[in-house]
Amino acid sequence: MRWFTCIFCIAILVFSGCDSDSNLDSSPSSITTVSPTKTLEVPAMYMTIQQAIKAAGSGDFVRVAAGVYVENLQIKGKDISLRGAGIGQTILIGTLNISETSETSVEGFTIKGGGIHARKSSVRISGNEILENPGVGLWIENCPNVVISGNTVKNNATEGIVFDDSSGVIGSSVVTQNLADGIVLNNSSPTLLDNEVTLNGRDGISIRGFTAYAAPFLLENLARDNGGASNYDIICFGGNTNPTGLGNRFDRCINCAECQAFAAPVTYRD
C-alpha cells in the first residue's frame, strides 16, 4: 500500500511538472519589443499636418510635401521631427505651438500668419523662414537647451525672436525688418553665434535682466542700422545683465558698463 501511495505521488509530481512546462512553453515571450520609427507623409498618407502629428509617436518623422497648408498646429508631449520640403516650398499659414517635449525639431518651412511658440520644451528649429506674423515671429518660453539655427526671421509685427527664461543657442540666423526689436533676451543667457541683426524697428539685440540674471555670450554677430535715433544695435536693461563676447560688430551701443565686456572699443564699423 505504501509503494502504491509513493508511486501515485510521483505520478502526480511528474504530471504537474509536465503541465507546468507546457504552460511555460505556450506563454508569450516576456521580452519587450520597441516599435520602429515611422515616417508619416503629408498629404500622401494624411490630408493635414495636424492629422499626421496626432498619429505620430515619439521618435517618428512627419514629412510635409511642397504646398500651402492653412492650419494651426500643436505638438504636445511628443518628441517628433517635423520636416518640410524647404523654404518657399512648404508654406504653413498659421501658428505652430510646441509644449512639454524633450526632443522636437522643425525644419524646412516658411511660416507666416502665426509664428512659432515653444514652451517648456527642448527644441531644434533650423532652416526655416518665419515672416509676416501678427506678433512675435519666434517665441521661446521656459525652454532649456534650445537650438535656433539657420533661420530667417523677418517682417513680423512685433519682435523677431524672444527668449523668456530660456537657454541654448541662436546661430547663423538673419533677423531683419521686424517692427519692434530684433532679438530680445528676457532673463535668459543663450549663446548668440554669427547672427545678422539689421533694419529692425527698435533695438537690434535687447538684453533684459529684471527678475533673473541675463548673461548671454555673443560671438561674431553683426548688428547695425536698427531703430531710430533713440534706439541701439545692442542695449541692456534691468541691472542683472552681464553679456560677454568676442568679434561682434555693432554700429551703435548704449555703451553701458555691461557692454564694455565685449572689447575696447565696444562698437565699431567694418
Side-chain angles (χ1 to χ4, degrees):
M1 183 68 177
R2 285 183 299 175
W3 284 106
F4 177 81
T5 303
C6 290
I7 292 171
F8 180 76
C9 291
I10 291 170
I12 291 175
L13 289 173
V14 171
F15 180 81
S16 299
C18 292
D19 185 60
S20 175
D21 290 342
S22 175
N23 289 338
L24 180 62
D25 291 340
S26 63
S27 63
S29 173
S30 61
I31 298 175
T32 302
T33 58
V34 178
S35 299
T37 298
K38 302 190 300 293
T39 298
L40 295 80
E41 304 281 352
V42 180
M45 297 169 62
Y46 297 89
M47 290 302 297
T48 69
I49 304 172
Q50 189 61 50
Q51 286 175 348
I53 291 171
K54 184 177 180 180
S58 288
D60 289 345
F61 288 81
V62 174
R63 296 193 181 276
V64 186
V68 178
Y69 301 83
V70 182
E71 50 182 310
N72 293 316
L73 306 179
Q74 173 142 345
I75 302 172
K76 183 176 182 180
K78 293 182 179 182
D79 298 332
I80 65 175
S81 297
L82 186 61
R83 296 285 186 271
I87 289 175
Q89 298 186 62
T90 302
I91 301 171
L92 172 65
I93 300 177
T95 302
L96 171 57
N97 287 298
I98 304 169
S99 62
E100 300 174 19
T101 71
S102 59
E103 195 176 347
T104 290
S105 62
V106 180
E107 182 179 348
F109 286 84
T110 290
I111 299 175
K112 57 173 66 177
I116 299 177
H117 181 197
R119 184 172 181 271
K120 294 183 178 180
S121 299
S122 290
V123 296
R124 175 182 290 271
I125 299 171
S126 57
N128 302 284
E129 182 181 51
I130 305 166
L131 75 161
E132 299 172 8
N133 293 291
V136 178
L138 177 53
W139 182 14
I140 306 297
E141 183 183 12
N142 295 308
C143 293
N145 305 319
V146 173
V147 176
I148 308 297
S149 176
N151 300 282
T152 297
V153 185
K154 64 184 292 187
N155 290 332
N156 295 289
T158 57
E159 293 83 2
I161 299 175
V162 174
F163 264 46
D164 281 333
D165 300 287
S166 298
S167 63
V169 177
I170 304 173
S172 302
S173 293
V174 175
V175 185
T176 185
Q177 300 175 54
N178 299 286
L179 294 186
D181 299 328
I183 297 176
V184 177
L185 307 177
N186 289 321
N187 310 314
S188 299
S189 301
T191 296
L192 272 63
L193 172 63
D194 191 31
N195 298 289
E196 184 176 313
V197 185
T198 63
L199 300 171
N200 295 287
R202 295 199 309 224
D203 299 313
I205 301 171
S206 180
I207 303 168
R208 306 174 184 180
F210 293 105
T211 60
Y213 211 53
F217 180 75
L218 286 77
L219 179 64
E220 297 185 354
N221 299 279
L222 168 65
R224 61 169 38 164
D225 301 323
N226 293 287
S230 61
N231 299 112
Y232 297 89
D233 293 311
I234 182 168
I235 188 170
C236 299
F237 292 99
N240 295 318
T241 59
N242 185 28
T244 57
L246 294 169
N248 298 285
R249 302 183 297 280
F250 306 131
D251 271 359
R252 292 180 300 141
C253 176
I254 198 171
N255 204 27
C256 52
E258 296 92 337
C259 292
Q260 292 176 6
F262 287 112
V266 175
T267 63
Y268 59 93
R269 295 178 180 271
D270 288 340

